[in-house]
Amino acid sequence: MIPFLQKINALIRQYDLLPKLLSILLAVILWANLQNSQIDEISYSIYPDIVNLPKELIIVEDIPKINFTIRGKKEYVKSINISNIKLYIDMSKPVVGKRHEYKVQAKGKETFNKVEYIIDKEKIELSVHKIKYKIVPVEPIIIGQLSDQFKRGIIGVDPDYVKISGADVIVDTIKNIKTDPLNVENEKQTVQVLVHCNTKEFPKISVFPDTVKLSIPIVPVSSLYQLHIPIEIRNKRADANYMMKNKKIILYIKKSNVNIEINETMFTAYINGDINTISNETVNVPVLLEKKIKLPFDIYSYEPTDTDVTITYTEH
């Protein structure tokens, strides 16, 4: 090792390399210092935290990402840990029931003592509303057709009502919660399955329970009695004329459940004629079915379950 160093020393003296080496070393030091003293910037997109929002309130909108830029000497910018960068919106004084601007702030400002930080959006508009709870029915969504030899019965839903919660302005508009579509294409026997409640239309709404059990009876048509029941109009308006698309329903009853003679007079199908509409407007209304007397069996199904009605008014 010593002979090697002696050779190096001899070469430096022979060719007068010392000043050159010192110049190179100085240049490297100056370059490193220059690099560290250069101004640099880094930008991040960060979701701001929501703090101090009263538990009985909820924000309607999705909180957007905010662009956050750090600018300063490169050595300081590089030393900042991104996990320490936090933005927040203080909701301790919310304006309830309407859109309002709220300030976006940075947490831990001591982190940025030696650099400059820029918040791209210093304020964002948010809508704060009271949380409301409501019990609503579940509407099963069934798709797919059975073959002509089979008939679907009245669908059972368990539970048939669910509890929803969310912003009052949204909850007030919801009349029911639909299930995810269930395909019964070409099924030949009763289907029982768990399905999720579909909240895609209302992403800010919570549903409990969020899963229900559907029971879809499916039996051969040959195992059913069929009765044709006229559709009546109850609560008719005196100044209105009604034109229904469907005049009758077809009622299906399982033969295995019937031990008496049955006929059309045992049942009543009807619509509610108390409809608020303009003249010549066509509306879709549900068809309801009742037993006129107490019968020892259940109705399997009937169709249609709704009908279009066109109403015209008599001029006085």
Side-chain angles (χ1 to χ4, degrees):
M1 185 67 179
I2 293 176
F4 175 75
L5 293 176
Q6 289 175 342
K7 288 181 181 180
I8 295 296
N9 187 36
L11 286 173
I12 291 174
R13 289 181 177 181
Q14 182 180 351
Y15 295 102
D16 196 21
L17 295 178
L18 185 58
K20 295 178 181 178
L21 291 174
L22 289 174
S23 298
I24 292 172
L25 180 60
L26 181 60
V28 170
I29 294 171
L30 289 173
W31 178 83
N33 185 61
L34 180 63
Q35 288 296 310
N36 285 331
S37 64
Q38 284 183 342
I39 299 300
D40 195 10
E41 70 175 39
I42 303 177
S43 293
Y44 306 96
S45 288
I46 305 172
Y47 285 112
D49 295 329
I50 301 298
V51 299
N52 300 323
L53 180 68
K55 62 181 181 180
E56 70 275 9
L57 300 178
I58 189 171
I59 297 172
V60 173
E61 297 87 358
D62 291 326
I63 307 301
K65 280 188 173 181
I66 304 294
N67 289 329
F68 184 82
T69 301
I70 301 170
R71 181 181 296 144
K73 287 185 178 182
K74 184 176 287 188
E75 61 176 314
Y76 298 140
V77 170
K78 286 184 176 179
S79 68
I80 293 178
N81 187 345
I82 186 174
S83 63
N84 293 331
I85 299 175
K86 302 289 184 182
L87 299 180
Y88 71 96
I89 302 171
D90 185 2
M91 303 296 294
S92 57
K93 296 180 180 179
V95 177
V96 180
K98 62 180 181 179
R99 288 178 69 83
H100 182 73
E101 283 190 337
Y102 297 89
K103 187 177 180 180
V104 181
Q105 303 178 69
K107 282 184 181 178
K109 294 184 179 180
E110 62 279 0
T111 306
F112 312 112
N113 284 340
K114 297 180 180 180
V115 295
E116 175 189 9
Y117 70 87
I118 302 166
I119 300 174
D120 181 53
K121 242 184 179 179
E122 294 189 346
K123 291 183 178 181
I124 60 173
E125 281 194 350
L126 298 173
S127 303
V128 178
H129 287 269
K130 291 182 178 180
I131 295 176
K132 185 172 183 177
Y133 299 88
K134 185 178 179 181
I135 304 296
V136 296
V138 178
E139 179 184 346
I141 302 300
I142 309 299
I143 61 174
Q145 295 295 322
L146 303 180
S147 69
D148 293 339
Q149 287 77 38
F150 290 87
K151 183 62 62 178
R152 189 180 79 196
I154 296 174
I155 301 168
V157 185
D158 184 26
D160 52 355
Y161 282 79
V162 291
K163 184 178 183 179
I164 63 172
S165 63
D168 52 6
V169 291
I170 299 176
V171 170
D172 286 341
T173 67
I174 300 175
K175 295 181 179 179
N176 57 46
I177 289 291
K178 296 179 173 63
T179 66
D180 286 341
L182 176 63
N183 193 342
V184 295
E185 185 82 22
N186 294 323
E187 291 284 354
K188 296 181 179 180
Q189 60 185 1
T190 295
V191 175
Q192 293 186 334
V193 65
L194 294 175
V195 296
H196 286 284
C197 295
N198 190 332
T199 57
K200 290 179 181 178
E201 189 179 352
F202 310 106
K204 288 284 187 175
I205 293 297
S206 297
V207 179
F208 181 81
D210 62 357
T211 302
V212 298
K213 182 180 180 180
L214 297 185
S215 299
I216 303 98
I218 298 173
V219 299
V221 173
S222 58
S223 68
L224 299 171
Y225 286 120
Q226 297 183 29
L227 298 175
H228 294 259
I229 313 295
I231 301 175
E232 302 175 2
I233 303 174
R234 294 184 179 178
N235 303 318
K236 283 186 178 182
R237 295 181 55 165
D239 60 343
N241 297 310
Y242 299 81
M243 183 176 294
M244 290 188 297
K245 179 180 178 181
N246 304 96
K247 305 292 186 182
K248 292 183 177 183
I249 65 164
I250 303 176
L251 170 62
Y252 298 95
I253 299 171
K254 290 180 73 173
K255 292 179 180 179
S256 59
N257 293 344
V258 178
N259 55 11
I260 61 172
E261 185 177 347
I262 59 172
N263 58 61
E264 290 82 354
T265 61
M266 296 177 173
F267 306 91
T268 299
Y270 67 93
I271 65 168
N272 185 357
D274 187 14
I275 305 168
N276 292 319
T277 181
I278 61 175
S279 188
N280 292 316
E281 183 180 2
T282 299
V283 294
N284 184 267
V285 297
V287 178
L288 305 175
L289 180 66
E290 291 180 354
K291 298 176 183 177
K292 289 184 178 179
I293 58 175
K294 187 174 182 180
L295 297 170
F297 54 81
D298 294 324
I299 294 168
Y300 181 73
S301 70
Y302 65 94
E303 56 187 31
T305 56
D306 54 46
T307 185
D308 288 342
V309 181
T310 303
I311 300 177
T312 57
Y313 294 100
T314 305
E315 294 184 4
H316 295 287

